[in-house]
Amino acid sequence: MSSSIHSPDQTSSESSNLKEGICPSKSERRNAEMILCHHCNSIILRVGDSIWMEGNERDIPLARQRKGGDLTQTEKLQGWWTVKDMFTFENVGFTNSVDGIRYLTCADCDFGPIGRVTEDNLHIVAHSRVKMESVPSPTNS
Ligand SMILES: [Zn+2]
């Protein structure tokens, strides 16, 4: 499965000149959709709770480790939803620290890691490990 990273915003084509330079310090971009667990649809972050960070490639362990290897298999991910305060999360789990790094998982189904805690105590969620949903699905069973 090749994970292509879609640009999360689908800007409506109201203005044709969307050529403003990338200026992360000034115009921070927040998530316009809810961020959900891929597996169980648990809400991880609500709209506007996290700030987009482009790039910043990091190694994250694979969600499913293949057999036959001592080393933790990782993949390089980039593109993150960042959260400063862990209490901002609607639902999130933390792993025990591995080599000083704590990873984020789904609090409900333990899927993960979906992200990690950085050296600056920033919580970063990998865009390719979560699901975006614009409207909360009314599944009241
Ligand atoms: Zn889950």
Side-chain angles (χ1 to χ4, degrees):
M1 191 172 18
S2 67
S3 62
S4 62
I5 296 174
H6 295 278
S7 173
D9 63 333
Q10 298 265 347
T11 318
S12 58
S13 58
E14 50 177 279
S15 79
S16 53
N17 51 347
L18 286 169
K19 279 200 174 178
E20 45 193 77
I22 300 167
C23 188
S25 60
K26 208 175 180 186
S27 61
E28 59 183 29
R29 208 171 96 208
R30 290 179 175 267
N31 58 309
E33 299 169 294
M34 291 204 305
I35 297 175
L36 307 177
C37 173
H38 255 306
H39 278 224
C40 69
N41 289 331
S42 174
I43 299 171
I44 297 166
L45 285 163
R46 292 190 180 276
V47 173
D49 277 349
S50 64
I51 298 169
W52 177 248
M53 177 168 59
E54 194 74 46
N56 197 356
E57 188 174 86
R58 286 166 183 269
D59 282 322
I60 294 287
L62 294 177
R64 292 209 183 110
Q65 297 289 322
R66 293 184 211 99
K67 286 182 189 171
D70 300 332
L71 292 170
T72 306
Q73 290 152 329
T74 64
E75 64 176 338
K76 291 189 190 305
L77 298 178
Q78 52 181 312
W80 309 89
W81 295 106
T82 69
V83 176
K84 274 194 187 130
D85 189 345
M86 62 175 276
F87 296 108
T88 303
F89 284 99
E90 190 72 19
N91 275 300
V92 79
F94 290 89
T95 65
N96 294 323
S97 79
V98 182
D99 296 331
I101 301 170
R102 298 182 78 197
Y103 292 100
L104 307 177
T105 61
C106 172
D108 280 341
C109 71
D110 274 343
F111 174 74
I114 57 171
R116 56 165 285 187
V117 184
T118 70
E119 305 78 20
D120 309 320
N121 276 325
L122 194 66
H123 305 76
I124 60 174
V125 176
H127 181 65
S128 55
R129 291 272 175 99
V130 293
K131 191 164 86 173
M132 309 293 289
E133 193 165 288
S134 51
V135 183
S137 49
T139 46
N140 284 330
S141 54

